[in-house]
Short mmCIF file of all heavy atoms in Angstrom, two decimals:
data_model
loop_
_atom_site.label_atom_id
_atom_site.label_comp_id
_atom_site.label_asym_id
_atom_site.label_seq_id
_atom_site.Cartn_x
_atom_site.Cartn_y
_atom_site.Cartn_z
N TYR N 26 -49.82 85.00 112.66
CA TYR N 26 -50.45 84.26 111.61
C TYR N 26 -51.91 84.06 111.80
O TYR N 26 -52.72 84.13 110.91
CB TYR N 26 -49.75 82.92 111.37
CG TYR N 26 -48.35 82.98 110.92
CD1 TYR N 26 -47.37 82.06 111.31
CD2 TYR N 26 -47.86 84.12 110.18
CE1 TYR N 26 -46.06 82.09 110.89
CE2 TYR N 26 -46.58 84.14 109.74
CZ TYR N 26 -45.67 83.13 110.05
OH TYR N 26 -44.30 83.23 109.68
N SER N 27 -52.22 83.73 113.11
CA SER N 27 -53.71 83.54 113.42
C SER N 27 -54.48 84.79 113.32
O SER N 27 -55.64 84.83 112.77
CB SER N 27 -53.71 83.02 114.86
OG SER N 27 -53.12 81.78 114.97
N ASP N 28 -53.92 85.93 113.67
CA ASP N 28 -54.57 87.23 113.54
C ASP N 28 -54.85 87.56 112.08
O ASP N 28 -55.87 88.09 111.72
CB ASP N 28 -53.80 88.33 114.19
CG ASP N 28 -53.84 88.27 115.71
OD1 ASP N 28 -54.76 87.54 116.30
OD2 ASP N 28 -52.89 88.87 116.33
N ASP N 29 -53.77 87.25 111.22
CA ASP N 29 -53.94 87.51 109.73
C ASP N 29 -55.09 86.73 109.19
O ASP N 29 -55.82 87.09 108.37
CB ASP N 29 -52.57 87.23 109.14
CG ASP N 29 -51.54 88.21 109.43
OD1 ASP N 29 -51.92 89.31 109.90
OD2 ASP N 29 -50.35 88.00 109.08
N LYS N 30 -55.14 85.47 109.67
CA LYS N 30 -56.21 84.58 109.09
C LYS N 30 -57.53 85.09 109.52
O LYS N 30 -58.48 85.04 108.77
CB LYS N 30 -55.92 83.12 109.70
CG LYS N 30 -56.98 82.10 109.13
CD LYS N 30 -56.75 80.72 109.76
CE LYS N 30 -57.77 79.76 109.35
NZ LYS N 30 -57.70 78.43 109.93
N VAL N 31 -57.68 85.57 110.78
CA VAL N 31 -58.99 86.02 111.21
C VAL N 31 -59.40 87.29 110.47
O VAL N 31 -60.58 87.34 109.99
CB VAL N 31 -58.97 86.37 112.77
CG1 VAL N 31 -60.21 87.14 113.15
CG2 VAL N 31 -58.84 85.12 113.54
N GLN N 32 -58.48 88.16 110.17
CA GLN N 32 -58.66 89.30 109.41
C GLN N 32 -59.08 89.02 108.03
O GLN N 32 -60.04 89.62 107.42
CB GLN N 32 -57.53 90.25 109.47
CG GLN N 32 -57.70 91.59 108.74
CD GLN N 32 -58.61 92.49 109.48
OE1 GLN N 32 -58.82 92.36 110.68
NE2 GLN N 32 -59.35 93.25 108.72
N LEU N 33 -58.43 88.03 107.39
CA LEU N 33 -58.74 87.60 106.04
C LEU N 33 -60.14 87.00 105.94
O LEU N 33 -60.91 87.25 105.03
CB LEU N 33 -57.66 86.59 105.57
CG LEU N 33 -57.75 86.10 104.12
CD1 LEU N 33 -57.74 87.28 103.19
CD2 LEU N 33 -56.64 85.09 103.85
N ALA N 34 -60.50 86.20 106.95
CA ALA N 34 -61.80 85.58 106.99
C ALA N 34 -62.94 86.72 107.11
O ALA N 34 -63.91 86.60 106.46
CB ALA N 34 -61.95 84.68 108.25
N MET N 35 -62.66 87.73 107.89
CA MET N 35 -63.64 88.84 107.99
C MET N 35 -63.78 89.54 106.77
O MET N 35 -64.85 89.92 106.25
CB MET N 35 -63.20 89.77 109.16
CG MET N 35 -63.24 89.15 110.53
SD MET N 35 -62.61 90.34 111.89
CE MET N 35 -63.70 91.69 111.65
N GLN N 36 -62.68 89.86 106.01
CA GLN N 36 -62.73 90.44 104.72
C GLN N 36 -63.49 89.61 103.74
O GLN N 36 -64.18 90.11 102.83
CB GLN N 36 -61.32 90.76 104.19
CG GLN N 36 -60.52 91.77 105.05
CD GLN N 36 -59.16 91.89 104.55
OE1 GLN N 36 -58.67 91.18 103.68
NE2 GLN N 36 -58.33 92.79 105.19
N THR N 37 -63.32 88.25 103.75
CA THR N 37 -63.98 87.44 102.79
C THR N 37 -65.48 87.42 103.08
O THR N 37 -66.28 87.49 102.10
CB THR N 37 -63.46 85.99 103.03
OG1 THR N 37 -62.07 85.98 102.78
CG2 THR N 37 -64.18 85.06 102.00
N TYR N 38 -65.87 87.48 104.36
CA TYR N 38 -67.41 87.53 104.76
C TYR N 38 -67.93 88.82 104.25
O TYR N 38 -69.04 88.89 103.67
CB TYR N 38 -67.45 87.39 106.26
CG TYR N 38 -68.84 87.73 106.72
CD1 TYR N 38 -69.76 86.65 106.77
CD2 TYR N 38 -69.30 88.93 107.14
CE1 TYR N 38 -71.05 86.85 107.13
CE2 TYR N 38 -70.56 89.25 107.55
CZ TYR N 38 -71.44 88.17 107.56
OH TYR N 38 -72.76 88.39 107.95
N GLU N 39 -67.22 89.92 104.45
CA GLU N 39 -67.72 91.27 104.02
C GLU N 39 -67.87 91.31 102.50
O GLU N 39 -68.82 91.88 101.98
CB GLU N 39 -66.75 92.38 104.44
CG GLU N 39 -66.71 92.58 105.98
CD GLU N 39 -68.00 93.11 106.52
OE1 GLU N 39 -68.81 93.70 105.75
OE2 GLU N 39 -68.26 93.03 107.68
N MET N 40 -66.91 90.71 101.82
CA MET N 40 -66.99 90.73 100.34
C MET N 40 -68.17 89.89 99.85
O MET N 40 -68.93 90.48 99.01
CB MET N 40 -65.73 90.04 99.79
CG MET N 40 -65.63 89.90 98.28
SD MET N 40 -64.06 89.28 97.69
CE MET N 40 -64.01 87.66 98.51
N VAL N 41 -68.41 88.77 100.36
CA VAL N 41 -69.61 87.99 99.97
C VAL N 41 -70.89 88.58 100.35
O VAL N 41 -71.88 88.71 99.63
CB VAL N 41 -69.63 86.51 100.60
CG1 VAL N 41 -70.86 85.77 100.33
CG2 VAL N 41 -68.39 85.78 100.07
N ASP N 42 -70.92 89.26 101.64
CA ASP N 42 -72.13 89.90 102.14
C ASP N 42 -72.51 91.13 101.32
O ASP N 42 -73.60 91.43 101.11
CB ASP N 42 -71.85 90.41 103.55
CG ASP N 42 -73.13 90.82 104.17
OD1 ASP N 42 -74.17 90.08 104.33
OD2 ASP N 42 -73.15 91.96 104.67
N LYS N 43 -71.42 91.74 100.77
CA LYS N 43 -71.68 93.03 99.86
C LYS N 43 -72.41 92.61 98.64
O LYS N 43 -73.34 93.20 98.17
CB LYS N 43 -70.36 93.66 99.59
CG LYS N 43 -70.42 94.82 98.71
CD LYS N 43 -69.10 95.50 98.52
CE LYS N 43 -69.20 96.68 97.55
NZ LYS N 43 -67.81 97.28 97.33
N HIS N 44 -71.91 91.39 97.96
CA HIS N 44 -72.63 90.97 96.74
C HIS N 44 -74.06 90.50 97.09
O HIS N 44 -74.99 90.78 96.32
CB HIS N 44 -71.86 89.85 96.21
CG HIS N 44 -70.57 90.23 95.51
ND1 HIS N 44 -70.59 90.89 94.29
CD2 HIS N 44 -69.33 90.04 95.83
CE1 HIS N 44 -69.37 91.12 93.88
NE2 HIS N 44 -68.52 90.64 94.80
N ILE N 45 -74.28 89.97 98.24
CA ILE N 45 -75.61 89.52 98.59
C ILE N 45 -76.58 90.71 98.69
O ILE N 45 -77.70 90.69 98.17
CB ILE N 45 -75.68 88.72 99.95
CG1 ILE N 45 -74.95 87.37 99.75
CG2 ILE N 45 -77.09 88.52 100.49
CD1 ILE N 45 -74.75 86.58 101.03
N ARG N 46 -76.10 91.76 99.36
CA ARG N 46 -76.89 93.03 99.57
C ARG N 46 -77.19 93.63 98.19
O ARG N 46 -78.30 94.10 97.88
CB ARG N 46 -76.26 93.99 100.43
CG ARG N 46 -76.10 93.46 101.89
CD ARG N 46 -75.88 94.70 102.87
NE ARG N 46 -74.63 95.31 102.51
CZ ARG N 46 -73.42 95.09 102.97
NH1 ARG N 46 -73.31 94.14 103.84
NH2 ARG N 46 -72.35 95.80 102.63
N ARG N 47 -76.19 93.66 97.29
CA ARG N 47 -76.44 94.28 95.96
C ARG N 47 -77.42 93.42 95.13
O ARG N 47 -78.26 93.96 94.37
CB ARG N 47 -75.12 94.38 95.24
CG ARG N 47 -74.16 95.35 95.98
CD ARG N 47 -72.72 95.29 95.40
NE ARG N 47 -72.64 96.19 94.25
CZ ARG N 47 -71.46 96.30 93.57
NH1 ARG N 47 -70.38 95.62 93.94
NH2 ARG N 47 -71.38 97.15 92.49
N LEU N 48 -77.30 92.13 95.35
CA LEU N 48 -78.25 91.27 94.50
C LEU N 48 -79.69 91.35 95.12
O LEU N 48 -80.61 91.41 94.27
CB LEU N 48 -77.85 89.77 94.63
CG LEU N 48 -76.60 89.39 93.82
CD1 LEU N 48 -76.18 87.92 94.30
CD2 LEU N 48 -77.00 89.31 92.38
N ASP N 49 -79.80 91.56 96.36
CA ASP N 49 -81.13 91.75 97.01
C ASP N 49 -81.78 93.06 96.39
O ASP N 49 -82.97 93.08 96.00
CB ASP N 49 -81.00 91.91 98.50
CG ASP N 49 -80.99 90.48 99.09
OD1 ASP N 49 -81.33 89.49 98.49
OD2 ASP N 49 -80.53 90.40 100.23
N ALA N 50 -80.89 94.11 96.36
CA ALA N 50 -81.41 95.41 95.89
C ALA N 50 -81.77 95.27 94.39
O ALA N 50 -82.88 95.85 93.93
CB ALA N 50 -80.32 96.47 96.06
#
C-alpha cells in the first residue's frame, strides 16, 4: 500500500509539472 501511494504521488507530481511546462511555453 505504501509503494502504491508513493507511485501515485509521483504520477500526480508529473501531471501537475506537465501542465506547468505547457503553460510556460
Side-chain angles (χ1 to χ4, degrees):
Y26 294 149
S27 297
D28 290 341
D29 289 344
K30 182 181 176 183
V31 170
Q32 185 64 30
L33 184 59
M35 292 175 63
Q36 291 175 359
T37 304
Y38 173 86
E39 292 292 339
M40 177 175 62
V41 174
D42 188 59
K43 180 179 179 180
H44 283 292
I45 290 174
R46 293 197 302 268
R47 295 170 87 181
L48 283 171
D49 280 342

